[in-house]
Amino acid sequence: MVAVEPIENSRVAAGQTIYVPAYSSVYTADQAHRFDLAVMLSIRNTDPHQPVILTAARYYDHDGQLVRNYLEKPLRIQPMAAMEFFVAESDTRGGVSASFLVEWVAEQSVTAPVIESVMIGTASTQGISFTCPGRVLADRTRSSPGGASR
């Protein structure tokens, strides 16, 4: 991934703000035993021709407090490429109901990236894994001159 300068609003043809649920811990058994998990935020540029620019990737705890800002500068994700951010299993600051807020833009009309969290953990003979898809909170996609957007 290549760091880029912030893109001017006048050049933004598409973009979204995505909310992604994440769980650095879940409760199991009748006694609500806490099971800690590793979390991976996956951002996949699904457009085969155009890059997208990742402008924000922030991790929040169950109280809505910022735990970590993963980006210092916007990053370009090339066509069909992916980027991941990792939260270690030992990092339980996010709690049971953590989340990511991801923002991306593009200078051309693009297909929206697939953004999801992947949780996994193992302890002795027990293992757990699952994914949570991102949900669009805001869409900045502009229609093309003909009125249709891609």
Side-chain angles (χ1 to χ4, degrees), residues 30-82:
D30 291 339
Q31 299 81 20
H33 173 73
R34 195 171 93 183
F35 194 100
D36 296 333
L37 304 169
V39 180
M40 182 182 71
L41 174 67
S42 175
I43 303 165
R44 297 169 180 261
N45 181 359
T46 63
D47 196 285
H49 306 291
Q50 299 297 327
V52 297
I53 299 169
L54 187 62
T55 59
R58 296 184 293 270
Y59 182 56
Y60 293 88
D61 71 11
H62 62 276
D63 290 324
Q65 299 300 309
L66 181 65
V67 174
R68 186 169 181 191
N69 183 0
Y70 281 92
L71 291 183
E72 291 182 23
K73 287 185 138 186
L75 295 176
R76 185 180 312 274
I77 304 174
Q78 295 300 328
M80 300 305 294

Side-chain angles (χ1 to χ4, degrees), residues 83-97:
M83 172 173 275
E84 298 82 28
F85 298 102
F86 184 71
V87 179
E89 186 176 311
S90 59
D91 184 352
T92 59
R93 294 176 294 167
V96 175
S97 297

